[in-house]
Amino acid sequence: MVATLTRIFGIENLQLAEDVVQEALVRALQTWPFYGVPQNPAAWIMRASRNLALDAVRRRKNFRDKEAEIVHVMDREASRMDEAIFSEEELADDRLRMMFVCCHPQIPTDAQVVLALKTLCGFGVAEIASAFLSTEAAIAKRITRAKQKIAEDRIPFEIPSGAELTRRLDGVLQSLYLLFNEGYKASSGDKLIREDICKEAIRLADLLAKHPAGNHPKTHALLALILLTVARTPARLDDEGNLLRLREQDRSKWNRALIARGMFHVTQSAEGGEISTYHLQAGIAACHCAARDYASTDWEKILLLYDRLLEFDHSPVVALNRAVALAEGRGPRAGIEALKAIPGLKSLESYYLLHAVLGDFEWRLNRLPEAVAHFQRALQLTEMHSERVFLTKRLRECEKRGTWAG
């Protein structure tokens, strides 16, 4: 809705579009409980947003420049009270345009993805701050600066072409990747997995891959990664919503349709000689999906993919994941040594997964006091309910084994 209103009223009115959609949603919450939910809720909200925006711009001097065009759109839609306000094709193009507006090179790099998450994906400032390990105040400033830059430079609301497209596509893909990450492992709230966000990431990535502007190998690689990872989510939690490790998951619950789609896009991503981090991560996800069971997982191939991924991304988090793969293939001692060798390991000291992984390695080596210490530290560092339940369970396993050994 924000993207569509921005097309009608102009990119300079982006903030207005956001404000009126929010106001329309508030009005829906206030009126629908009394008058009932309309037959087409989306059309109702869009119509209310449109009218609010029209009232606002009519009060502005610069409305005269767009008055004829806007009134034409209003008249065209006035007779379609109970239908979708715009065609699927129009909506798709609007969202694609908004993706590329958010990732325009004139917008500071650190603000591009933040703006996309806020404007296009509906993230709150708190969620974005958590994803970027930043403060809400800092994120709010980035968003404000980005919107000011759009207005000052009159950045066009369009899908670029040629070299300009290539420059912006990476930012768009990164935004979708972060959107998917937030859905697959929420940064806050009671639910570890936010299926609505995962579905939105799939929908937007699929939209981009089908359009000539985004039909590139790395787009297909990202879409493959998302599909193959989301396909495993039905088995990631038990019936009570508690986290299950990969070895504990019932693979019959994996979504085979999504896996098939993911494998198709893996094939599509192989065209040409380009390779990206998305290719390598999709390859790792494909290895997991191709294994009949946990025991038959090709950990050596996964390790090779992580080695190559580290050439692209020197992140300590990638190195942590590589250590897990190494430990699965060569044992927990090898995993611990790999962790000790990570450059910048201290940056992970406040990351609960580091201590959860170390706790698991120590538990497998039967060094229970060390395992307990790491699990306790991990428990202190996470507030997510399902993760706390999982870690508490691991602590009890340590206590039980210690009592039995005694």
Side-chain angles (χ1 to χ4, degrees), residues 294-343:
Y294 189 78
S296 61
T297 304
D298 190 344
W299 290 108
E300 287 301 318
K301 185 175 181 180
I302 290 174
L303 183 60
L304 288 172
L305 289 167
Y306 270 121
D307 286 341
R308 189 70 195 280
L309 183 59
L310 276 173
E311 296 175 12
F312 286 80
D313 185 351
H314 304 296
S315 163
V317 174
V318 173
L320 171 61
N321 291 332
R322 178 191 176 276
V324 172
L326 181 67
E328 291 300 328
R330 304 180 189 178
R333 291 184 189 277
I336 291 174
E337 291 304 314
L339 286 177
K340 290 180 180 178
I342 294 176

Side-chain angles (χ1 to χ4, degrees), residues 250-268:
D250 179 359
R251 298 189 177 212
S252 67
K253 294 182 179 180
W254 288 3
N255 188 321
R256 296 296 162 184
L258 289 184
I259 290 175
R261 284 179 62 190
M263 292 300 189
F264 169 78
H265 286 286
V266 167
T267 303
Q268 295 292 99

Side-chain angles (χ1 to χ4, degrees), residues 95 152 195 307:
R95 298 197 72 141
E152 291 170 0
E195 294 182 5
D307 286 341

Side-chain angles (χ1 to χ4, degrees), residues 95 99 120-121 123 175-185 191-208 210 222-223 225-231 233-234 255 258 261:
R95 298 197 72 141
M99 284 190 208
L120 186 65
C121 305
F123 273 33
S175 299
L176 293 177
Y177 179 69
L178 289 173
L179 176 66
F180 151 67
N181 277 342
E182 180 64 23
Y184 186 69
K185 184 192 176 300
K191 290 186 176 181
L192 180 68
I193 301 170
R194 294 180 61 176
E195 294 182 5
D196 56 335
I197 293 182
C198 288
K199 289 178 180 177
E200 182 69 359
I202 291 173
R203 197 175 75 81
L204 291 174
D206 186 62
L207 182 70
L208 185 63
K210 288 177 178 176
L222 175 59
L223 180 54
L225 167 63
I226 298 173
L227 289 166
L228 293 172
T229 307
V230 172
T233 56
N255 188 321
L258 289 184
R261 284 179 62 190

Side-chain angles (χ1 to χ4, degrees), residues 91-101 120 158-159 204 207-208 211:
L91 292 172
D93 283 346
D94 287 342
R95 298 197 72 141
L96 283 171
R97 289 188 189 98
M98 185 62 81
M99 284 190 208
F100 286 102
V101 166
L120 186 65
E158 63 183 12
I159 299 172
L204 291 174
L207 182 70
L208 185 63
H211 195 282

